Amino acid sequence: MPGRNAFYAQSGGPTAVINASACGVLQTARQHSDEINKVYAGREGIIGALTEDLIDTSIESDAAIAALKHTPGAAFGSYRYKLASISERRAQYERLIEVFQAHAIGYFFYNGGGDSQDTAYKVSQIGAVLDYPIVSVGIPKTVDNDLPITDCSPGFGSAAKYLATCIRETALDLSSVSRTSTKVFALEVMGRHAGWLTAACALAADHDGDALHVLLLPEIAFDEGRFLAKVEQAVVRHGHCVIAVSEGIKKLDGQFLSAGPADPFGHAQLGGVAPIITNLIGEKFGYKCHWAVADYLQRSARHIASATDVQQAYAVGRAAVEFAIAGKNAVMPAIRRLSDSPYRWDIIAAPLSEVANQEKLLPAEFISADGFGITVVARRYLAPLIAGEAYPPFEDGLPDYVRLQYRRRRVIA
Amino acid sequence: MPGRNAFYAQSGGPTAVINASACGVLQTARQHSDEINKVYAGREGIIGALTEDLIDTSIESDAAIAALKHTPGAAFGSYRYKLASISERRAQYERLIEVFQAHAIGYFFYNGGGDSQDTAYKVSQIGAVLDYPIVSVGIPKTVDNDLPITDCSPGFGSAAKYLATCIRETALDLSSVSRTSTKVFALEVMGRHAGWLTAACALAADHDGDALHVLLLPEIAFDEGRFLAKVEQAVVRHGHCVIAVSEGIKKLDGQFLSAGPADPFGHAQLGGVAPIITNLIGEKFGYKCHWAVADYLQRSARHIASATDVQQAYAVGRAAVEFAIAGKNAVMPAIRRLSDSPYRWDIIAAPLSEVANQEKLLPAEFISADGFGITVVARRYLAPLIAGEAYPPFEDGLPDYVRLQYRRRRVIA
């Protein structure tokens, strides 16, 4: 008798390595065909299950599945959709069960950030509350690195490596021209509430006085006067000033410096804070400023992924399947750090109940006393996460990313 | 009797490979120590000569000089400063001669774009007009790719490769979420007047319907209605729309869409046009949009340099020294294309008089009929320029770029 089928889906913002986790899931499932028959991927996360929009991954070649490991984006589509609880909206869970039953799905894998772990957690309760036997395992993913328990979140290390590289490179450019032209460069970085990516930009410095000179973290309220004084000090000392600014910085009154219209989750769309802060600098000191906004570039930069991150993304995908086969319901594979240098880690099972809807901000001991930099402790934490290169194959000068066949599987309607 | 000394300087915006040209100059000069004794690098271009701010490159190790080949930025500092003509400002040339004489400088190498070739050309006239024997050779460099005669300008291919990679990667990200969230992504690209870099973004597509979907070139006046219709068409057809927009696009009345304060050359500082055009889209269609501004990232992205570009940057540096030794005054090594595929090229001597102050825009036959794309001819031209990878060495997860010793040499005052 063949094993039951599995459902796998991706949720939230894509990363450079979320497909490496998919690769880990799919390759490991293929190695355990006694326990897992087929893996159906949901299109656009849980929506794929609710609408019976399923992709039969079994028809994809081994080579295509392997190539997911070096392909950015979310190969099966992604969506932020938060399930209500079973008691609030029982009908939605009955629909899930209808689809799961129709496709003999006994394993549920959900790959995403905090909201997604909440979804995985709610699905894990279906067995106990609605009597449909399913094993639900969350798989961590977020460039924001704000998931609790796990040492880091897959996706973060690659974005961090990209950003620190950009800072190191643009600082060389800026310092070439700063004596006579542009004196300030600001790079706007993702991270609505948690400053992990902004902090990682500081890894660019390896000599005293090197860029990065000023970090603006979302954890610290933006104080215009202190900020401008810090910038002036850097320009006087080093001739130029490189700044990393989180899209999520807030004024002393708690308002975002830059906020656009809200998304369906009630989150305001952020972006465009770099020109705001460089305008302040230009007005105050007359320095010529340049600014860049990395936006999607930072979360899709697979061309400069961290080898450590790719390895971990794959490993949590593999572990998710292993946990599921072992019958561990309501868990998420979490990375546990065993040592900083050399960086050693293994994978443990974190209870989804403790992971869902938590947000891990930068701890106070990672932030320098003046709030504009990071500490030695932070550097020790961050450094191994960007280690190692894992270049994708190139063809005709560009990364060669895979395109799947996407055969849909529908039986209900 | 040792040969005369040489002066080398860098001018205009740095690129990912201008130091590869410096490496070509310095290594080739070292191989011709009979003809060239020492190379003094001017700090910040011609200003280094005028102020006798010279760096003695002879004390730098062979390893450090070799490492310039993989280090972005302008290692000797860069500045845009345009010399007046000899007849207008003779005293400035007499000062140059004073410095050249004090340091026994008989060769002048000037590495930059159109303005810089003008400087090299003016210096090349010193022998005839002011009787100081000097051989002046320009070395091409500009991410804008707008120098005439040469098939391409070193610096362009690497920026183009970076941008096309970003488009390919962000398009995968966007298409993952576009059914339910962001539908449009716009990347703002450098190129004040010439759309070469924006055009190169189109290389990202290798299947029908692939991003890039819409280019906004500075050569084509921005027509809001036609642009919005084109974006809507892409969203309807492909579910999403990826746009590359030149910082230099102008309205039908000839005004830049986005212009800040002017720099010392009277050029307005541009930047921030991506949010302007995505706002138009959001207002018209209600599509959620994201945007990024690459700014210095694109011209310093040595981590994903084109191997072809690095090779050519080095080759023009080497050829400059060989031309100088052969007594060829007032020339610039130019790349001549011998065939498209396989891409074969050699180097010829272009007269500086024909290079200086010229701006090569995208030819009409490179632009598609509707103005929003490129033609097959353009693709054939662009494709080989981004070919090949030339990764820098990495240490601790980041590119390992060289830091010179910068020993200054001053004898006059």
Side-chain angles (χ1 to χ4, degrees):
Chain A
M1 192 190 92
R4 288 181 297 169
N5 297 318
F7 173 89
Y8 166 80
Q10 302 174 321
S11 176
T15 73
V17 302
I18 185 171
N19 291 332
S21 291
C23 179
V25 168
L26 297 174
Q27 288 189 337
T28 310
R30 287 184 179 196
Q31 288 155 15
H32 291 87
S33 52
D34 283 355
E35 291 93 351
I36 297 180
N37 183 24
K38 287 184 172 191
V39 180
Y40 294 118
R43 272 199 66 181
E44 275 113 16
I46 191 73
I47 296 295
L50 289 167
T51 61
E52 204 200 357
D53 195 352
L54 302 178
I55 295 152
D56 182 354
T57 66
S58 72
I59 63 125
E60 305 291 344
S61 68
D62 285 343
I65 297 301
L68 284 173
K69 199 170 178 181
H70 65 246
T71 298
F76 302 107
S78 187
Y79 186 40
R80 276 212 199 99
Y81 178 87
K82 211 163 166 174
L83 283 180
S85 65
I86 298 181
S87 59
E88 281 167 347
R89 204 155 164 209
R90 193 180 177 102
Q92 201 163 45
Y93 289 86
E94 285 163 352
R95 167 64 177 167
L96 279 182
I97 290 173
E98 180 188 22
V99 174
F100 291 165
Q101 249 164 352
H103 296 275
I105 287 168
Y107 303 99
F108 180 87
F109 299 108
Y110 211 56
N111 201 169
D115 287 344
S116 312
Q117 302 309 324
D118 177 74
T119 298
Y121 179 64
K122 283 172 177 151
V123 171
S124 75
Q125 306 306 302
I126 289 181
V129 181
L130 298 174
D131 206 30
Y132 179 83
I134 194 154
V135 176
S136 174
V137 177
I139 303 171
K141 172 251 41 164
T142 168
V143 293
D144 291 334
N145 201 39
D146 58 0
L147 284 168
I149 304 180
T150 188
D151 181 55
C152 60
S153 301
F156 169 70
S158 295
K161 185 186 185 85
Y162 169 79
L163 290 167
T165 298
C166 287
I167 292 289
R168 180 170 285 187
E169 293 180 332
T170 50
L172 286 172
D173 189 303
L174 179 67
S175 65
S176 304
V177 300
S178 61
R179 207 159 60 145
T180 53
S181 178
T182 312
K183 290 204 166 14
V184 175
F185 174 76
L187 177 62
E188 179 168 329
V189 175
M190 283 180 157
R192 184 173 300 273
H193 302 124
W196 294 100
L197 281 178
T198 310
C201 292
L203 292 174
D206 65 357
H207 291 74
D208 202 35
D210 272 5
L212 187 74
H213 304 114
V214 184
L215 271 84
L216 291 174
L217 298 166
E219 284 86 353
I220 307 283
F222 178 71
D223 179 329
E224 185 177 324
R226 291 185 59 246
F227 166 66
L228 290 172
K230 182 79 182 176
V231 170
E232 186 181 29
Q233 187 189 68
V235 173
V236 169
R237 275 195 199 161
H238 314 300
H240 61 280
C241 178
V242 179
I243 302 166
V245 52
S246 163
E247 62 179 1
I249 58 165
K250 289 175 181 160
K251 290 178 264 195
L252 296 169
D253 64 7
Q255 296 295 303
F256 284 118
L257 247 76
S258 158
D263 73 7
F265 272 71
H267 301 318
Q269 191 182 343
L270 306 180
V273 73
I276 293 174
I277 63 148
T278 52
N279 280 346
L280 292 176
I281 296 166
E283 280 165 20
K284 174 82 175 181
F285 303 114
Y287 299 151
K288 184 175 175 189
C289 301
H290 263 251
W291 54 272
V293 176
D295 196 62
Y296 286 174
L297 274 55
Q298 69 204 283
R299 71 184 200 190
S300 61
R302 181 61 185 83
H303 72 271
I304 189 170
S306 150
T308 304
D309 190 33
V310 174
Q311 232 180 322
Q312 292 182 332
Y314 184 88
V316 292
R318 185 184 57 210
V321 173
E322 291 166 351
F323 287 168
I325 289 171
K328 291 189 189 167
N329 186 36
V331 297
M332 178 191 87
I335 296 150
R336 178 172 62 174
R337 184 180 296 227
L338 303 172
S339 69
D340 290 323
S341 179
Y343 182 49
R344 292 191 309 113
W345 51 276
D346 63 6
I347 288 184
I348 56 170
L352 280 175
S353 57
E354 293 175 25
V355 174
N357 300 314
Q358 302 295 318
E359 214 168 30
K360 183 173 69 179
L361 303 185
L362 268 185
E365 73 264 27
F366 277 27
I367 304 173
S368 64
D370 68 1
F372 295 120
I374 62 168
T375 59
V376 174
V377 184
R379 187 172 279 271
R380 200 179 301 140
Y381 166 77
L382 292 166
L385 307 183
I386 66 166
E389 292 67 59
Y391 300 116
F394 275 68
E395 202 183 316
D396 298 332
L398 291 172
D400 186 21
Y401 296 136
V402 73
R403 189 177 297 264
L404 302 179
Q405 297 180 60
Y406 299 115
R407 183 180 300 167
R408 288 178 68 193
R409 161 95 181 153
R410 180 181 286 259
V411 296
I412 299 179
Chain B
M1 192 191 91
R4 287 182 298 168
N5 297 319
F7 173 89
Y8 167 80
Q10 302 174 321
S11 176
T15 74
V17 302
I18 185 171
N19 290 332
S21 291
C23 178
V25 168
L26 297 174
Q27 288 189 337
T28 311
R30 286 183 181 197
Q31 288 156 14
H32 291 88
S33 53
D34 283 356
E35 292 93 349
I36 297 179
N37 184 23
K38 286 183 172 190
V39 180
Y40 295 118
R43 273 200 65 181
E44 274 112 16
I46 192 73
I47 296 294
L50 289 167
T51 61
E52 204 200 357
D53 194 352
L54 302 178
I55 295 152
D56 182 355
T57 67
S58 71
I59 63 125
E60 304 291 345
S61 69
D62 284 344
I65 297 301
L68 284 173
K69 199 170 178 182
H70 65 247
T71 299
F76 302 107
S78 187
Y79 186 38
R80 277 214 199 97
Y81 178 88
K82 210 162 166 177
L83 283 179
S85 68
I86 298 181
S87 59
E88 280 166 346
R89 203 151 166 214
R90 193 180 179 102
Q92 203 164 44
Y93 290 85
E94 285 163 352
R95 168 62 177 168
L96 278 183
I97 291 173
E98 181 188 22
V99 173
F100 291 165
Q101 248 164 351
H103 296 276
I105 288 167
Y107 303 100
F108 180 87
F109 299 108
Y110 211 56
N111 201 169
D115 288 343
S116 312
Q117 304 307 327
D118 177 75
T119 298
Y121 179 64
K122 283 172 176 151
V123 170
S124 76
Q125 306 307 303
I126 288 180
V129 181
L130 297 174
D131 206 29
Y132 179 83
I134 194 155
V135 176
S136 174
V137 177
I139 304 171
K141 172 248 46 160
T142 168
V143 293
D144 291 334
N145 202 39
D146 58 0
L147 284 167
I149 304 180
T150 187
D151 181 56
C152 61
S153 302
F156 169 70
S158 295
K161 185 186 186 85
Y162 169 79
L163 290 166
T165 298
C166 288
I167 292 289
R168 180 169 287 187
E169 292 180 332
T170 50
L172 286 172
D173 188 303
L174 179 68
S175 65
S176 304
V177 300
S178 62
R179 206 158 63 144
T180 52
S181 178
T182 311
K183 291 209 167 9
V184 175
F185 174 76
L187 177 62
E188 178 168 330
V189 174
M190 282 180 159
R192 184 174 299 273
H193 302 124
W196 294 101
L197 281 178
T198 309
C201 292
L203 293 174
D206 65 357
H207 291 73
D208 202 37
D210 271 6
L212 188 70
H213 305 113
V214 185
L215 271 83
L216 291 175
L217 298 165
E219 284 87 353
I220 308 283
F222 177 71
D223 179 329
E224 185 176 324
R226 291 186 58 248
F227 166 67
L228 290 172
K230 181 80 182 174
V231 170
E232 187 181 29
Q233 187 189 67
V235 172
V236 169
R237 276 197 198 159
H238 314 300
H240 61 281
C241 178
V242 179
I243 303 166
V245 51
S246 162
E247 61 178 2
I249 58 165
K250 289 175 180 159
K251 290 178 267 195
L252 297 168
D253 65 6
Q255 296 295 301
F256 284 117
L257 246 75
S258 159
D263 73 5
F265 272 70
H267 301 320
Q269 191 182 341
L270 305 181
V273 74
I276 293 174
I277 63 147
T278 51
N279 279 346
L280 293 175
I281 297 165
E283 279 165 20
K284 176 81 175 180
F285 303 113
Y287 298 151
K288 184 175 175 188
C289 301
H290 263 251
W291 53 272
V293 176
D295 195 62
Y296 286 174
L297 273 57
Q298 70 203 282
R299 72 183 199 192
S300 61
R302 181 62 185 83
H303 72 272
I304 190 170
S306 150
T308 304
D309 190 32
V310 173
Q311 233 180 320
Q312 292 182 331
Y314 185 88
V316 293
R318 185 185 57 211
V321 172
E322 291 166 351
F323 287 168
I325 289 171
K328 291 189 189 168
N329 185 36
V331 297
M332 179 190 85
I335 296 152
R336 179 172 61 173
R337 183 180 298 226
L338 303 172
S339 69
D340 289 324
S341 179
Y343 181 49
R344 292 190 310 113
W345 52 276
D346 64 5
I347 287 183
I348 56 170
L352 281 175
S353 57
E354 293 175 26
V355 175
N357 301 314
Q358 302 295 319
E359 215 167 29
K360 183 173 68 177
L361 302 186
L362 269 186
E365 73 262 27
F366 277 28
I367 304 172
S368 64
D370 68 3
F372 295 120
I374 63 169
T375 60
V376 174
V377 184
R379 187 172 280 270
R380 200 178 303 140
Y381 165 78
L382 291 166
L385 307 184
I386 67 165
E389 292 67 59
Y391 300 116
F394 275 67
E395 201 183 317
D396 297 333
L398 291 172
D400 186 20
Y401 295 135
V402 72
R403 190 177 296 265
L404 302 179
Q405 297 182 59
Y406 298 115
R407 185 181 297 169
R408 288 178 66 192
R409 162 94 181 154
R410 181 180 285 260
V411 297
I412 301 179

